């Protein structure tokens, strides 16, 4: 979710019912070295108890230093990423590479626990590859090291995001640990999310990519988890209004040039499943400034009380999921 879960998008997720959020992944080594750009990731305008900082690294001293800096910046929840499969991360020994070096993983977690005064969590995968499935061992190690929460993506590093997430593994881990386990992977509908939550016995469901174009999935998922019907997906004009609010936050916090560039992808994701989306995406790429982008969004999605513009007619399709940590 790098380049996605910035402050403006997090605000939009909050408006749509998300109860716990994370920053983009932040390099502990760069924070420790005093990299100015990386330290900027800690200066968030939307800080709060619901926001955790996600660190990656493989040197205990650097992670501890980074966690201290994060706490000085106001964060009360620190998360260690031990699941990222991206090559530039694992080649440094961080992310999913720590699944292959449990001694180092334990040192990193214990080093963080010594300095983190609030919540300490970790995100893991099933293992490095099919020949080294070790999530139970890693989960037990994390619990013994003092973590408060384990998020589990039941794929191996070798799988990346291919194949299917094995939620039977989530069930096994949730039954094995006493700390809360949050499942993650292949949640694309609210009903699927609720089913995963109850069938696996885990304490929460984390949603990533499915939320990019359908942030209302959190609100619908929470209703299902509470035994209610999910309710309708928003009308196109409501999606457009929400996107315009996100655009305003982007302008306020990043400036007009960055906001224009970055909001194109969010607007395109918001049109997913609606008629005329391909032509709308093409027009977005020619929007040269904030006002042009706003006109395209309002013209395509329509306005309150009116009919949708362009070809975006009918209710948005409900690609929904669930997130929430009790």
């Amino acid at each position: 979710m790098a380049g996605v879960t910035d402050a403006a998008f997090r605000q939009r997720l909050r408006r749509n019912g998300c109860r716990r959020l994370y920053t983009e992944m932040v390099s502990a080594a760069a924070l420790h070295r005093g990299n100015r750009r990386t330290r900027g990731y800690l200066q968030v305008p939307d800080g709060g108890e619901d926001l955790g900082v996600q660190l990656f690294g493989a040197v205990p001293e650097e992670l501890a230093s980074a966690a201290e800096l994060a706490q000085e910046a106001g964060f009360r929840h620190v998360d260690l990423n031990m699941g990222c499969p991206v090559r530039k991360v694992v080649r440094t020994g961080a992310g999913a590479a720590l699944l292959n070096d449990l001694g180092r993983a334990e040192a990193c977690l214990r080093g963080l626990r010594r300095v983190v005064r609030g919540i300490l969590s970790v995100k893991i995968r099933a293992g490095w590859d099919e020949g080294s499935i070790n999530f139970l061992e890693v989960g037990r190690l994390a619990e013994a090291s003092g973590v408060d929460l384990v998020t589990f993506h039941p794929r191996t590093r070798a799988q990346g995001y291919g194949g299917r997430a094995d939620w039977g593994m989530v069930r096994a881990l949730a039954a094995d640990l006493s700390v809360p386990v949050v499942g993650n992977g292949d949640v694309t509908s609210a009903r699927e999310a609720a089913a995963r939550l109850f069938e696996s016995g885990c304490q929460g469901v984390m949603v990533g990519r499915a939320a990019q174009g359908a942030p209302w999935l959190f609100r619908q998922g929470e209703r299902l988890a509470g035994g209610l019907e999910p309710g309708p997906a928003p009308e196109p004009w409501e999606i457009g209004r929400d996107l315009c609010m996100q655009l305003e936050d982007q302008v306020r916090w990043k400036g007009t040039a960055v906001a224009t560039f970055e909001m194109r992808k969010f607007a395109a994701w918001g049109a997913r499943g609606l008629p005329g989306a391909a032509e709308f995406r093409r027009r977005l790429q020619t929007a040269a400034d904030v006002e042009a982008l706003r006109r395209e969004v309002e013209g395509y999605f329509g306005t309150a009380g009116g009919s949708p513009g362009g070809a975006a007619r009918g209710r948005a399709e409900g690609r929904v999921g669930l997130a929430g940590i009790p």
Side-chain angles (χ1 to χ4, degrees):
M1 299 290 281
V4 176
T5 53
D6 62 7
F9 187 53
R10 293 194 299 261
Q11 286 291 77
R12 187 176 171 205
L13 293 175
R14 289 184 179 96
R15 290 195 297 272
N16 283 277
C18 185
R19 292 198 285 127
R20 185 161 295 277
L21 309 98
Y22 294 86
T23 64
E24 300 170 75
M25 206 165 57
V26 182
S27 167
L31 284 177
H32 176 69
R33 292 195 301 266
N35 181 279
R36 181 177 300 179
R37 179 179 178 185
T38 305
R39 288 202 174 187
Y41 284 115
L42 300 181
Q43 307 306 313
V44 297
D46 66 325
E49 293 297 321
D50 64 346
L51 180 61
V53 60
Q54 186 177 87
L55 303 176
F56 74 94
V59 179
E61 296 76 15
E62 292 176 349
L63 283 163
S65 171
E68 289 279 27
L69 290 168
Q71 290 176 113
E72 290 172 9
F75 286 95
R76 294 295 175 262
H77 179 175
V78 176
D79 183 69
L80 175 61
N81 188 301
M82 287 176 46
C84 180
V86 176
R87 183 175 301 174
K88 68 179 181 180
V89 172
V90 299
R91 72 185 179 192
T92 68
L98 285 171
L99 301 174
N100 275 341
D101 190 346
L102 297 192
R104 180 175 291 273
E106 182 177 16
C108 289
L109 288 169
R110 289 190 180 277
L112 284 168
R113 184 71 282 175
R114 281 192 291 271
V115 301
V116 174
R117 297 175 289 280
I119 299 172
L120 174 62
S121 61
V122 62
K123 186 174 184 184
I124 67 173
R125 281 187 172 238
W128 183 258
D129 56 28
E130 288 298 315
S132 57
I133 302 292
N134 63 349
F135 66 92
L136 286 175
E137 184 179 4
V138 175
R140 292 166 187 161
L141 180 153
E143 183 174 61
S145 299
V147 304
D148 300 298
L149 174 74
V150 176
T151 301
F152 181 31
H153 185 127
R155 284 184 172 95
T156 65
R157 187 270 171 176
Q159 284 180 284
Y161 296 99
R164 291 289 298 171
D166 184 349
W167 277 74
M169 293 182 181
V170 178
R171 182 169 57 250
L173 188 64
D176 192 70
L177 300 185
S178 59
V179 297
V181 172
V182 174
N184 169 234
D186 293 347
V187 175
T188 59
S189 75
R191 296 190 186 280
E192 181 179 44
R196 296 296 193 196
L197 181 69
F198 296 122
E199 291 170 5
S200 70
C202 66
Q203 284 69 47
V205 175
M206 174 179 283
V207 179
R209 291 170 294 166
Q212 292 173 342
W216 57 87
L217 59 84
F218 298 101
R219 179 176 64 248
Q220 290 183 315
E222 290 282 5
R223 287 180 58 83
L224 270 176
L228 304 172
E229 285 300 308
E235 295 286 351
W237 70 264
E238 294 175 293
I239 299 174
R241 180 186 61 184
D242 211 18
L243 285 166
C244 286
M245 293 172 70
Q246 183 182 352
L247 176 61
E248 290 172 6
D249 285 337
Q250 284 278 30
V251 171
R252 181 181 307 114
W253 294 328
K254 292 189 174 182
T256 56
V258 174
T260 302
F261 176 77
E262 293 193 355
M263 279 303 298
R264 290 171 179 169
K265 62 177 180 281
F266 290 102
W269 287 330
R272 192 178 296 161
L274 293 174
E279 173 60 21
F280 174 59
R281 289 194 296 269
R282 186 193 66 77
R283 293 199 307 272
L284 286 174
Q285 298 311 308
T286 65
D289 54 40
V290 166
E291 289 309 313
L293 184 64
R294 190 191 310 274
R295 285 194 299 271
E296 289 294 348
V297 169
E298 292 176 344
Y300 179 74
F301 290 102
T303 58
S307 60
R313 304 184 186 280
R315 189 176 298 279
E317 296 186 1
R319 287 173 31 125
V320 296
L322 169 68
I325 302 171

